[in-house]
Amino acid sequence: MKLLSTKATCNSHGQDSSYFLGWQEYEKNPYDEVMNPEGIIQMGLAENQLSFDLIESWLDKNPDVPGFKSNGKSIFRELALFQDYHGLPSFKKELVDFMAEIRGNKVTFDPNHIVLTAGSTPANETLMFCLAEKGEAFLLPTPYYPGFDRDLKWRTGVEIVPIQCTSSNNFQITEPALQQAYQDAKKRNLRVKGVLVTNPSNPLGTTMSRSELNLLIDFIKDKNMHLISDEIYSGTVYSSPGFVSVMEILKERNDLKDCDVPVGDRVHVVYSLSKDLGLPGFRVGAIYSENEVVVGAATKMSSFGLVSSQTQYLLSAMLGDKKFTKNYISENQKRLKRRQRMLVSGLQKAGISCLKTNNAGLFCWVDMSHLLHSNTFEAEMDLWKKILYEVRLNISPGASCHCTEPGWFRMCFANMSEDTLNLAMKRLKAFVAAESNDNACSKRTSRRKSLSNWVFRLSSRDHREQEER
Amino acid sequence: MGFEIEQPCVELSKVAVSETHGEDSPYFAGWKAYDENPYDELTNSSGVIQMGLAENQVSFDLLEKYLEENSEASTWGKGAPGFRENALFQDYHGLKTFRTAMASFMEQIRGGRAKFFPDRVVLTAGATAANELLTFILANPGDALLVPTPYYPGFDRDLRWRTGVNIVPIHCDSSNNFQITPQALEAAYQAAEAKNTKVRAVLITNPSNPLGATIQRSVLENLLDFVTRKNIHLVSDEIYSGSVFSSSEFVSVAEILEARNYKNAERVHIVYSLSKDLGLPGFRVGTIYSYNDKVVTTARRMSSFTLISSQTQHLLASMLSDKKFTENYIETNRERLRKRYNMIIEGLKSVGIECLKGNAGLFCWMNMSPLLEKKTREGELELWNAIVHEVRLNISPGSSCHCSEPGWFRVCFANMSEETLEVALERIRSFMERIKKE
């Protein structure tokens, strides 16, 4: 066989985990209101489909823009030729303004410090390439987005060491947990280059508290390392305590310059329009950093994943329409809040609770530990499969997010209609009711369901990966 | 801008601070001279004319006409039906209609002499990404790719920077029009071995940049035999395949594989892009076409780091599925490039400057070695400096392309109007007359 690289033949892309079974099964039997009402409802996909009408209406009012016209003149040629990795200046300006608007204008961003990338997937990978060597490590609080295992580690050779968070304090990051992670890395002979957090968190659906952020800043200051804050969900915060960006904390503190490398030079923000605007297909991501060396290197690296100039132009016009952005941001948040309430109350009716602090994101972090037959990840997997095959809901098991406690699941609510969400809740309620009946019976009949048929029904065809953010 | 930084105590990676991004070469310095004093027909007629940029600007009118007549390709139609689905589409398999259109476009370019299956097309944000991706897949850090000289300066970054892979040159020279000989191939392979470096692939650009010429069938056959013997890969970057002046002169490695019934095809991978043939570098549309299933699967997963905007896929799926449009485009574009090429060749010939006999691409490979005071790299750079600053033409010196013979320059002709090209030729005429007098 012709030799391929180690990267090509290893499994760090993470796509062969049984986790992708859920996506596969959904593909085989996808729910459709009319055509397949018994099918599997996709609740594992963190997409925002609630506010497309706002964008469509903007497009209707501005047909010139996607038609490559500016002030009545065609700018097709200029756009077609524009491949400067510094990015379209007008787009960068509108993007940083949008980012500031999302943060209530409590912080501003310099367009010269932003690097555009084809989505946040390459943004995160690029930062790894810039900040760490192969074999070095970043600390990540668990539970975390499964895609990080691929995005941060695959081609870079960088390791992830988990900061274990638990339900005892709603999975917040604590100082002991940080220190423990640092020690764990040391034991593994791994040099830690920084911490990477997602704020608001995926899969928790919560904003990070001021004290957590300050804790992180203290930690990286003390340990002389970097902090990456992936703020991809910053526009999806719909209830209190509201979103505090790490950039705000940096602004507030005055003790950050008294070290060899100012802390401000070691904090880097990642953003994307995939979640807030619901445009994952358009591949629009960004890295923001005050560190000019990082910006310089990342800019050059962005050659490997530039944003299409066609898309940059469309979005520069859309985001430049301040009436649109103001309305979009607030309306989108309202709709997300409403939808989340629907999911939470539906779950409540099934006797299921979710993280109390859930105030952001496109999903709830749901506690089904009381439904496990034992407090193990095996039991979690069994429950997940039941939910997939019997309830016909594809949800994300906590194990795939490296959660330390079994029984937690991420359920998305913004990628379907209200009716579909209601149906999902109905099915779940029925399942839970039946389960408790079963449990009552099983003491007498000790019926054991074998799940091995489902487990090993692996397709031989390459299956479509799902961006499960 | 060099990377002379005092090591901050919070280190960045070696990759971040290295110079393997290659951006300090004269190739980029010429850009600077242009940026500081760009030619403009009306407002700056004595400025530097950019002839170092391999862009295709000769056929935009055809694209603009298409867009005018097919507005739903760019606007999703009235009420934007299909917008949501398009905006959500981030599947790394790519839009099926687009992949299919791309495969068929690649077939058309090769006059139907090779078949391309849509399921083997992997989409990437430009050929830059495609080449890097393939390097990650085919080689480990420290391994080597053999690349014939002269080659596109960007390869130094694209193939080496983040991958940690080395380039070992296959030396070609003017004695046989810079063609790759079996001896040169073997010598390069031995050179790598001598350094204890594992060779993983040969990477060629066909048609060649900067030569502006297609690779001959016999050379391709020989290359295929070579990589088979050595059990390594062959990457054929065919980004200029649609810019061949006469269709019959281009032989793609795909054709040879088909003729061989795809024997040993699983070591061959083709890179393509719409940046040159369609003049759309800003849209970031590249592809990897591989005959190796494992490479296709892995490349597809890796393409997550470099997907093509679905908005752009939608536009181009429409355009490239329109056979009437593509046939006309390919033919017309070819014709216009040929005309431009002849114009510049004749113009240079008339003042005694010879070029390599070319038949493709957006540039010619010009021989100014008779003018060198010293037939060295320094001599070449001196001449280049004079051309950039006195004649005010930004052209690319052969040394930036790792050419082993000093005195050759790549001169682009498709990124300007005919009038501007005429101005450039006039300046060269004056320059040559001045030299004759001296």
Side-chain angles (χ1 to χ4, degrees), chain A residues 341-377:
Chain A
R341 290 272 150 90
M342 268 181 74
L343 175 60
V344 171
S345 87
L347 288 171
Q348 257 168 17
K349 292 197 182 92
I352 298 172
S353 64
C354 22
L355 201 57
K356 301 195 281 289
T357 45
N358 182 208
N359 69 336
L362 310 174
F363 32 72
C364 289
W365 187 235
V366 179
D367 184 1
M368 295 205 205
S369 54
H370 61 291
L371 297 175
L372 299 183
H373 60 70
S374 63
N375 188 31
T376 61
F377 285 109

Side-chain angles (χ1 to χ4, degrees), chain A residues 2-3 5-6 13 15 56 77 80 82 85 129-130 133 226 260 266 281 300 304 308-311 464, chain B residues 1 9-10 13-14 23 64 84 87 89 91-92 136-137 140 200 233 282 301 306 309-312:
Chain A
K2 326 308 158 227
L3 301 165
S5 69
T6 315
H13 53 74
Q15 283 193 218
E56 283 157 349
R77 291 182 192 214
F82 187 85
Y85 57 29
F129 272 122
C130 287
E133 307 293 346
H226 295 273
D260 292 329
R266 304 191 246 132
K300 294 185 173 72
F304 299 109
S308 167
S309 57
Q310 176 194 18
T311 303
R464 200 166 89 179
Chain B
M1 172 176 80
C9 54
V10 183
S13 67
K14 294 196 195 77
E23 289 197 20
E64 282 162 340
R84 297 183 185 210
F89 188 86
D91 180 354
Y92 63 23
F136 270 121
I137 291 176
N140 289 315
R200 292 292 202 162
H233 297 270
R301 289 174 178 165
T306 185
S309 167
S310 53
Q311 176 193 18
T312 303

Side-chain angles (χ1 to χ4, degrees), chain B residues 220-273:
Chain B
L220 290 171
E221 300 264 13
N222 183 54
L223 272 164
L224 271 170
D225 293 338
F226 178 80
V227 300
T228 306
R229 253 191 344 264
K230 302 287 192 200
N231 195 18
I232 59 179
H233 297 270
L234 176 64
V235 176
S236 180
D237 185 348
E238 304 191 347
I239 195 179
Y240 291 99
S241 47
S243 312
V244 185
F245 310 148
S246 153
S247 158
S248 56
E249 293 190 32
F250 174 55
V251 179
S252 164
V253 72
E255 290 174 52
I256 302 191
L257 288 176
E258 242 179 72
R260 294 182 179 199
N261 261 316
Y262 299 111
K263 187 152 179 276
N264 286 304
E266 69 277 15
R267 57 180 80 253
V268 180
H269 324 280
I270 295 175
V271 167
Y272 185 56
S273 157

Side-chain angles (χ1 to χ4, degrees), chain A residues 1-10 13 15-16 45 47-49 52-53 55-56 59-60 63 66-69 74 76-77 79-83 85 118 121-122 125-126 128-134 136 150-152 154-155 191 193 224-226 259-261 266 274-275 278-283 291 293-294 296-298 300-312 314 318 462-467, chain B residues 1 3 5 8-17 21 23 53 55-57 60-61 63-64 67-68 73-80 83-93 125 128-129 132-133 135-141 157-159 161-163 198 200 231-233 264 266-267 269 275-276 279-284 292 294-295 297-298 300-302 304-313 315 319:
Chain A
M1 172 53 213
K2 326 308 158 227
L3 301 165
L4 297 186
S5 69
T6 315
K7 284 184 186 66
T9 50
C10 73
H13 53 74
Q15 283 193 218
D16 297 321
L45 200 42
E47 276 175 359
N48 181 0
Q49 295 192 28
F52 276 133
D53 57 314
I55 298 180
E56 283 157 349
L59 287 171
D60 247 4
F68 300 103
K69 289 209 181 66
S74 170
F76 173 73
R77 291 182 192 214
L79 285 177
L81 290 171
F82 187 85
Q83 56 170 333
Y85 57 29
T121 297
E125 192 199 37
T126 293
M128 289 299 108
F129 272 122
C130 287
L131 305 178
E133 307 293 346
K134 179 174 186 310
E136 293 181 337
R150 172 199 64 190
D151 299 352
L152 307 181
W154 191 13
R155 306 191 301 180
R191 185 158 174 228
K193 290 315 273 289
N224 222 14
M225 53 171 76
H226 295 273
C259 49
D260 292 329
V261 177
R266 304 191 246 132
S274 298
K275 308 296 172 181
L279 307 173
F282 287 8
R283 312 317 301 149
N291 185 322
V293 181
V294 171
K300 294 185 173 72
M301 275 189 203
S302 69
S303 303
F304 299 109
L306 297 174
V307 179
S308 167
S309 57
Q310 176 194 18
T311 303
Q312 290 191 52
L314 172 66
M318 197 188 290
D462 176 41
H463 54 270
R464 200 166 89 179
E465 174 208 43
Q466 186 46 45
E467 293 296 329
Chain B
M1 172 176 80
F3 269 119
I5 44 149
C9 54
V10 183
E11 283 168 40
L12 300 186
S13 67
K14 294 196 195 77
V15 161
V17 302
H21 54 73
E23 289 197 20
L53 198 44
E55 276 177 356
N56 180 0
Q57 295 193 29
F60 274 133
D61 57 318
L63 299 172
E64 282 162 340
L67 289 174
E68 237 166 88
S74 39
T75 63
W76 302 281
K78 182 111 183 65
F83 167 74
R84 297 183 185 210
E85 214 185 308
N86 189 219
L88 287 170
F89 188 86
Q90 57 170 333
D91 180 354
Y92 63 23
H93 286 75
T128 298
E132 192 202 36
L133 216 129
T135 306
F136 270 121
I137 291 176
L138 304 178
N140 289 315
R157 172 196 65 190
D158 300 351
L159 308 179
W161 189 20
R162 304 191 305 180
T163 61
K198 204 159 183 200
R200 292 292 202 162
N231 195 18
I232 59 179
H233 297 270
N264 286 304
E266 69 277 15
R267 57 180 80 253
H269 324 280
S275 298
K276 309 295 174 184
L280 305 173
F283 287 8
R284 313 315 302 146
N292 181 317
K294 184 89 206 256
V295 172
T297 306
T298 309
R300 201 177 273 145
R301 289 174 178 165
M302 241 188 226
S304 300
F305 296 108
T306 185
L307 297 175
I308 302 178
S309 167
S310 53
Q311 176 193 18
T312 303
Q313 291 190 50
L315 169 66
M319 198 188 277

